[in-house]
Amino acid sequence: SGDEFAAILEEVGKRARRAVVVALASVERVEPARVALHGSGFDVDVVLLQTSRLREIGPMHGFAASNPVFVVSGSRR
């Protein structure tokens, strides 16, 4: 990814026939991914996935949140 993130997605968009799915840890990457896939002719959807792990809290249990993952998917129109 790095500085070439948008260029990589544009190239992938040219080559992909049906769909592209990108998992991202950074919210700042969501919009460039959405724009690049949309510009390559894809219908784009963005989903935020959040998970939590069960952990002990003394004699009881609770959930501790994990970092969210953004899933940007595109399918051909």
Side-chain angles (χ1 to χ4, degrees):
S1 64
D3 293 337
E4 301 299 319
F5 181 72
I8 291 168
L9 283 181
E10 288 172 13
E11 188 61 32
V12 168
K14 292 177 190 174
R15 297 179 186 207
R17 293 183 182 175
R18 291 187 179 181
V20 175
V21 178
V22 183
L24 304 167
S26 170
V27 69
E28 288 82 11
R29 294 287 194 200
V30 172
E31 186 61 9
R34 193 193 67 75
V35 168
L37 292 178
H38 187 265
S40 294
F42 289 92
D43 287 328
V44 181
D45 189 28
V46 180
V47 176
L48 171 68
L49 301 177
Q50 293 181 286
T51 62
S52 297
R53 292 186 180 269
L54 188 66
R55 65 181 181 106
E56 292 182 6
I57 305 173
M60 303 178 127
H61 292 84
F63 285 93
S66 300
N67 287 334
V69 174
F70 302 91
V71 178
V72 180
S73 59
S75 58
R76 287 278 180 214
R77 298 178 196 159

